[in-house]
């Protein structure tokens, strides 16, 4: 049976109906489906206790891109260049990360999803690269097509990402203005842009917890390395769950108390 992959929704307003909606980009759905998974969107619930009905049915989790995380989750005040935030979305995704850590569920993070994993494990972010990392490349290229390659990243040899991607150097699209600053507990930065900005992340203590700052869901059809990432994720999601409790649980409990 094909594995069931949860993808959290975002909140917005329908362009035609002008009514509140939950949604996410079709590109995530297609990437998971093409790799052999069955995607299911997770709404932003008012009562997160409702997740206890859904989460045991999931075989994997994909944390997608989206709006900024609120910096209170890493004990900082908002920077003037901080973008839009959503406390309910933050709470939902933090709860999802706590779940996948406890249950040792395969997880992949993309853009905001990479940042969320890092923050949930006690790390911090640059709230705006241009303001706080002035030597950086131009990473927020929102005016360009989402599949346009704009810079290259170096992948750390001997990392799990290198083994999956099959490359140590590859091109990426770039659609973000925030990035990992201090890595969280157990977090390894396994790929960086030419300016040193973190582009790939992995947690070796976890069964499968990998993340990319770029948007591989937009370029996997053109770059086989990213197709490999989705394929490896779905393959792991198809395997029996092996629970694994470790020190990350403590980090997540601390993050929950300080949020």
């Amino acid at each position: 049976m094909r594995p069931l992959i949860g993808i959290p929704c975002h909140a917005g307003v329908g362009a035609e109906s002008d009514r509140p909606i939950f949604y996410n980009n079709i590109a995530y759905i297609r990437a998971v489906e093409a790799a052999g998974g069955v995607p299911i969107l997770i709404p932003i619930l008012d009562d997160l206790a409702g997740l206890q009905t859904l989460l045991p049915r999931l075989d994997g989790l994909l944390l997608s891109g989206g709006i900024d995380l609120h910096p209170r989750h890493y004990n900082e005040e908002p920077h003037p260049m901080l973008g839009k935030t959503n406390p309910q979305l933050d709470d939902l995704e933090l709860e999802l990360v706590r779940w996948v850590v406890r249950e040792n569920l395969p997880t992949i993070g993309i853009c905001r999803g990479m940042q969320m994993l890092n923050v949930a494990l006690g790390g911090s972010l640059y709230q705006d690269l241009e303001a706080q990392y002035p030597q950086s490349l131009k990473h927020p290229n929102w005016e360009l097509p989402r599949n346009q390659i704009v810079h290259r990243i170096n992948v750390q040899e001997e990392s799990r990402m290198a083994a999956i991607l099959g490359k140590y150097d590859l091109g990426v699209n770039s659609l973000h203005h925030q990035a990992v600053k201090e890595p969280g507990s157990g977090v390894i930065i396994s790929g960086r842009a030419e300016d040193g900005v973190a582009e790939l992340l992995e947690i070796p203590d976890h069964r499968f917890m990998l993340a990319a700052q770029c948007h591989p869901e937009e370029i996997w059809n053109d770059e086989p390395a990213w197709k490999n990432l989705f394929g490896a994720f779905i393959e792991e999601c198809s395997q029996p769950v092996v629970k694994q409790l470790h020190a990350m649980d403590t980090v997540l409990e601390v993050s929950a108390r300080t949020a």
Side-chain angles (χ1 to χ4, degrees), residues 191-238:
R192 294 186 182 272
E194 301 130 87
D195 58 4
V197 168
E199 291 281 345
L200 299 174
L201 172 157
E202 54 193 76
I203 294 89
D205 287 345
H206 193 273
R207 171 184 171 190
F208 189 106
M209 189 173 280
L210 307 177
Q213 185 57 66
C214 67
H215 281 266
E217 81 282 2
E218 302 284 359
I219 56 178
W220 64 269
N221 228 355
D222 303 315
E223 172 52 74
W226 298 116
K227 183 179 292 188
N228 293 345
L229 178 60
F230 286 108
F233 171 55
I234 297 302
E235 180 179 359
E236 188 63 40
C237 292
S238 303

Side-chain angles (χ1 to χ4, degrees), residues 1-6 32 35-38 57-62 104-108 160 207-208 229-241:
M1 185 174 294
R2 298 169 68 183
L4 188 65
I5 311 301
V32 168
V38 176
R57 293 167 165 80
L58 296 182
D59 300 301
L61 178 70
L62 187 155
N104 202 24
L105 208 68
T107 303
I108 190 168
R160 189 169 188 181
R207 171 184 171 190
F208 189 106
L229 178 60
F230 286 108
F233 171 55
I234 297 302
E235 180 179 359
E236 188 63 40
C237 292
S238 303
Q239 306 303 315
V241 173

Side-chain angles (χ1 to χ4, degrees), residues 2-189:
R2 298 169 68 183
L4 188 65
I5 311 301
I7 304 175
C9 286
H10 293 276
V13 176
E16 296 181 1
S17 67
D18 199 33
R19 298 178 65 182
I21 60 170
F22 291 131
Y23 70 95
N24 215 320
N25 293 343
I26 290 176
Y28 298 109
I29 305 299
R30 295 291 178 252
V32 168
E33 185 181 27
V38 176
I40 181 169
L41 294 179
I42 303 173
I44 303 174
L45 301 177
D46 285 334
D47 182 4
L48 293 182
L51 292 174
Q52 302 307 313
T53 300
L54 170 64
L55 295 182
R57 293 167 165 80
L58 296 182
D59 300 301
L61 178 70
L62 187 155
L63 294 167
S64 70
I67 60 177
D68 292 352
L69 279 74
H70 197 283
R72 69 184 176 89
H73 296 297
Y74 45 98
N75 300 314
E76 288 188 13
E77 293 297 318
H79 187 276
M81 295 304 292
L82 180 71
K84 181 181 178 181
T85 63
N86 182 331
Q88 280 191 299
L89 176 61
D90 289 353
D91 291 345
L92 169 69
E93 293 191 339
L94 285 166
E95 181 61 28
L96 292 174
V97 175
R98 284 191 281 271
W99 173 269
V100 297
V101 167
R102 284 196 301 267
E103 300 301 316
N104 202 24
L105 208 68
T107 303
I108 190 168
I110 293 174
C111 197
R112 170 192 161 94
M114 171 167 164
Q115 297 162 12
M116 172 56 74
L117 287 174
N118 187 62
V119 169
L121 295 171
S124 64
L125 305 177
Y126 291 107
Q127 294 187 46
D128 183 77
L129 285 169
E130 185 177 3
Q132 298 179 316
Y133 196 109
Q135 68 270 36
S136 67
L137 301 168
K138 183 188 176 188
H139 287 273
N141 295 278
W142 299 311
E143 76 284 1
L144 299 178
R146 291 179 65 84
N147 65 344
Q148 184 163 326
I149 303 301
V150 296
H151 68 79
R152 305 195 70 78
I153 64 173
N154 298 310
V155 186
Q156 181 179 313
E157 295 186 23
E158 309 303 325
S159 66
R160 189 169 188 181
M161 270 293 195
I164 290 172
L165 297 173
K167 290 187 174 183
Y168 300 129
D169 176 89
L170 71 164
V172 297
N173 50 2
S174 189
L175 300 159
H176 63 103
H177 82 114
Q178 297 194 319
V180 170
K181 182 165 62 176
E182 293 296 328
S185 177
V187 171
I188 301 297
I189 302 302

